[in-house]
Amino acid sequence: MKLIKFFYFLFSVFSINFSLAQNCDLPPNYTGNTGSNMSIFLTATFISSLNATDENAYMVALTESGLVIGASSVYGVNQTELAVWGDDSTTDEIVDGASTTEAVSFQLVNGTDLYDVVMPTTVSYNTNALVLQLAAAQLT
């Protein structure tokens, strides 16, 4: 009887641990072109602070509603740029890019790990703008 209780206890513990694990949906790498964009230049100091260890690591730009509006590979590069796409002005709906002055957030996808990236210089969308990221990022 004690053996049965022991196995029941072990089963309960493992069931709890497995049920607490959550799957995370990683944002996709952006592929598109809306005709309007801005550029974020990621310097060597910024790139090295990401500590990207997966050869497929990339950063994504997101609207306030979570729409992916840009992406760039960040593994094995010294510096790079990330195009952030604005809304397509030929449609009435805002469904494919950022609105003017909308806050843009960033995430790092490093293998199966996802990090919010706090940019040293905040980014608000403005067509044809260039924002330099000269300092280190913070990952949360």
Side-chain angles (χ1 to χ4, degrees):
M1 185 64 167
K2 288 183 181 181
L3 189 59
I4 292 173
K5 287 183 181 181
F6 177 73
F7 283 119
Y8 178 73
F9 172 75
L10 282 178
F11 178 75
S12 299
V13 169
F14 286 115
S15 295
I16 291 170
N17 286 338
F18 291 129
S19 67
L20 293 178
Q22 297 179 359
N23 290 332
C24 177
D25 291 330
L26 298 176
N29 203 333
Y30 181 82
T31 56
N33 181 338
T34 64
S36 343
N37 73 329
M38 69 180 292
S39 296
I40 312 300
F41 186 74
L42 309 176
T43 62
T45 301
F46 180 90
I47 291 290
S48 65
S49 70
L50 297 177
N51 196 27
T53 56
D54 187 273
E55 64 184 26
N56 296 314
Y58 60 95
M59 270 185 56
V60 294
L62 303 151
T63 63
E64 294 170 359
S65 66
L67 176 67
V68 175
I69 53 172
S72 183
S73 296
V74 293
Y75 177 81
V77 298
N78 188 34
Q79 59 190 19
T80 192
E81 67 86 28
L82 192 154
V84 174
W85 295 92
D87 182 52
D88 181 354
S89 60
T90 64
T91 62
D92 291 335
E93 293 103 13
I94 299 174
V95 295
D96 54 4
S99 300
T100 301
T101 71
E102 182 174 9
V104 179
S105 62
F106 297 85
Q107 291 182 322
L108 170 66
V109 178
N110 190 24
T112 58
D113 297 328
L114 179 64
Y115 301 94
D116 289 325
V117 178
V118 179
M119 303 297 260
T121 302
T122 58
V123 177
S124 295
Y125 181 79
N126 285 299
T127 301
N128 297 327
L130 171 65
V131 177
L132 304 174
Q133 298 298 337
L134 301 172
Q138 293 179 347
L139 302 180
T140 59

